[in-house]
């Protein structure tokens, strides 16, 4: 079943239910904020105190960072781009079979986006819900000049406790440490006992997240960068839409095209970033 719904304040979202999983996707930001397999706990973390309000990014789920990841050189422009707070348009819903459904949502240029980023574009996000979650973010250049983008499907995972977490798959990968702006090399698996904000590069394999309750696999296509982020104690208390102990139950593994992995897209050409979570 694919149903259009609204919160009391008018915030619109799409609810998907099939025999293997359920999901909720906000039209603002094409923001998937709930995904759960039948009989299991939610895969995605969602802040208990997140706002569902016009022009404010939801804290949790999968924000779409586009057409830039991180901050812009022009500090008057929003961190992680404008797509996560823009109002997208529903394109279609497809009940593939009883176990799988997909929803496609699009965003295109407007007077407002052209002021922030001077290019014509079509951005489409297709989310497929089954016992696997698949997100395909397709950028098409509708302009007559090339443009370059950085982007991320900024997935927040719910974890039993951050101290139980191990991430495998990034051993020996170079990364940019966004806390020091130094380039480093990962040695071994990743565990957490402090703030982590890193952009891993040259990533070409599956990433495996495990905690006390489960193992989750992340496989990306057309992407060689992955961001790993946990704000830890001090920063968490200062983040919008986050309780001060939220860092204990969440962790972001972001499927990205960031820093050296930026993409140049020529007129009439497309690029699709894909993330599969299972
Ligand atoms: C991560 C960045 O992708 O997003 C962090 O690496 C940032 O530096 C985090 O703090 C959250 O960003 P925001 O804009 O949603 O608060």
């Amino acid at each position: 079943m694919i149903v259009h719904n609204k919160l009391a304040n008018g915030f619109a979202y799409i609810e998907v239910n099939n025999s293997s999983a359920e999901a909720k996707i906000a039209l603002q930001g094409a923001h998937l904020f709930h995904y759960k397999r039948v009989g299991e706990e939610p895969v995605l973390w969602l802040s208990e105190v997140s706002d569902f309000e016009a022009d404010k990014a939801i804290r949790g789920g999968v924000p779409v960072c586009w057409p830039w990841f991180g901050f812009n050189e022009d500090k008057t422009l929003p961190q992680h781009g404008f797509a996560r707070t823009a109002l997208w348009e529903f394109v279609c819903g497809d009940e593939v079979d009883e176990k799988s459904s997909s929803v496609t949502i699009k965003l295109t240029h407007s007077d407002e986006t052209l002021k922030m980023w001077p290019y014509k574009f079509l951005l489409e996000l297709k989310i497929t819900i089954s016992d696997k979650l698949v997100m395909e973010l397709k950028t098409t250049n509708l302009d007559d000049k090339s443009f370059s983008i950085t982007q991320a499907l900024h997935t927040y995972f719910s974890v039993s406790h951050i101290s139980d977490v191990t991430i495998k798959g990034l051993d020996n990968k170079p990364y940019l440490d966004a806390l020091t702006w130094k380039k480093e090399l990962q040695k071994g698996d990743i565990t957490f006992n402090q703030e982590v904000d890193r952009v891993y590069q040259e990533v070409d394999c599956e990433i495996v997240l495990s905690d006390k309750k489960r193992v989750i696999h992340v496989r990306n296509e057309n992407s060689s960068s992955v961001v790993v982020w946990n704000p830890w104690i001090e920063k968490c208390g200062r983040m919008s839409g986050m309780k001060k102990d939220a860092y204990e139950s969440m962790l972001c593994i972001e499927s990205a095209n960031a820093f050296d992995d930026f993409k140049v897209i020529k007129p009439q050409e497309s690029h699709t970033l894909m993330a599969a979570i299972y």
Side-chain angles (χ1 to χ4, degrees):
M1 232 171 34
I2 299 175
V3 177
H4 291 256
N5 248 326
K6 270 187 185 166
L7 298 178
N9 65 358
F11 195 92
Y13 65 98
I14 298 161
E15 228 173 316
V16 181
N17 272 285
N18 56 44
S19 66
S20 44
E22 60 183 47
K24 291 180 186 170
I25 306 157
L27 284 184
Q28 177 171 294
H31 198 135
L32 173 70
F33 61 93
H34 174 69
Y35 168 68
K36 177 184 165 321
R37 297 186 197 112
V38 169
E40 296 183 19
E41 285 178 36
V43 171
L44 304 177
W45 180 86
L46 176 66
S47 173
E48 298 155 58
V49 293
S50 182
D51 291 315
F52 283 82
E53 269 177 35
D55 306 326
K56 267 191 151 180
I58 297 169
R59 178 68 69 194
V62 188
V64 175
C65 305
W66 189 95
W68 57 86
F69 173 81
F71 58 79
N72 193 290
E73 278 169 24
D74 177 349
K75 295 284 184 301
T76 64
L77 295 176
Q79 155 133 314
H80 290 329
F82 51 77
R84 66 175 172 165
T85 49
L87 195 59
W88 294 48
E89 195 185 319
F90 175 75
V91 178
C92 60
D94 183 14
E95 303 193 280
V96 186
D97 58 37
E98 62 166 35
K99 295 184 191 152
S100 174
S101 325
S102 72
V103 170
T104 304
I105 310 180
K106 71 170 182 182
L107 178 69
T108 190
H109 55 88
S110 63
D111 290 348
E112 213 177 317
T113 67
L114 288 166
K115 272 185 230 155
M116 292 186 271
W117 195 65
Y119 304 99
K120 294 180 181 162
F121 66 88
L122 172 64
L123 183 62
E124 293 159 291
L125 180 64
K126 180 177 178 190
I127 304 179
T128 304
I129 308 296
S130 68
D131 53 358
K132 198 182 204 180
L133 168 65
V134 180
M135 296 172 283
E136 293 160 276
L137 183 64
K138 181 178 178 187
T139 303
T140 304
N141 184 342
L142 299 184
D143 214 286
D144 51 14
K145 47 194 183 294
S146 295
F147 58 61
S148 93
I149 56 165
T150 53
Q151 59 181 347
L153 293 161
H154 188 308
T155 310
Y156 285 76
F157 289 97
S158 165
V159 296
S160 54
H161 192 279
I162 190 68
S163 56
D164 303 333
V165 169
T166 303
I167 299 176
K168 291 186 188 292
L170 295 168
D171 185 21
N172 263 320
K173 300 295 178 197
Y175 67 85
L176 177 73
D177 190 327
L179 302 174
T180 58
W181 297 108
K182 283 191 183 148
K183 287 200 170 171
E184 309 278 359
L185 192 70
Q186 178 65 35
K187 287 280 159 226
D189 297 339
I190 305 173
T191 53
F192 296 82
N193 54 16
Q194 60 184 351
E195 182 181 0
V196 169
D197 193 351
R198 300 175 184 166
V199 186
Y200 286 87
Q201 306 273 275
E202 299 170 26
V203 181
D204 51 5
C205 55
E206 193 178 73
I207 296 154
V208 183
L209 159 67
S210 46
D211 66 7
K212 270 205 176 130
K213 54 184 184 189
R214 62 184 165 202
V215 177
I216 294 173
H217 301 252
V218 180
R219 187 173 61 78
N220 302 326
E221 276 176 20
N222 301 326
S223 148
S224 61
S225 46
V226 167
V227 181
V228 177
W229 177 62
N230 180 287
W232 211 247
I233 303 168
E234 229 182 82
K235 201 166 273 177
C236 193
R238 290 188 268 122
M239 302 286 305
S240 63
M242 260 181 149
K243 280 171 100 175
K244 65 178 193 321
D245 60 353
Y247 77 97
E248 293 179 344
S249 56
M250 56 70 63
L251 161 74
C252 291
I253 300 179
E254 306 165 34
S255 308
N257 293 117
F259 292 94
D260 294 351
D261 185 27
F262 65 89
K263 293 291 161 198
V264 176
I265 306 174
K266 292 184 183 148
Q268 307 314 315
E269 292 193 353
S270 298
H271 168 81
T272 302
L273 166 67
M274 196 279 300
I277 293 166
Y278 48 98

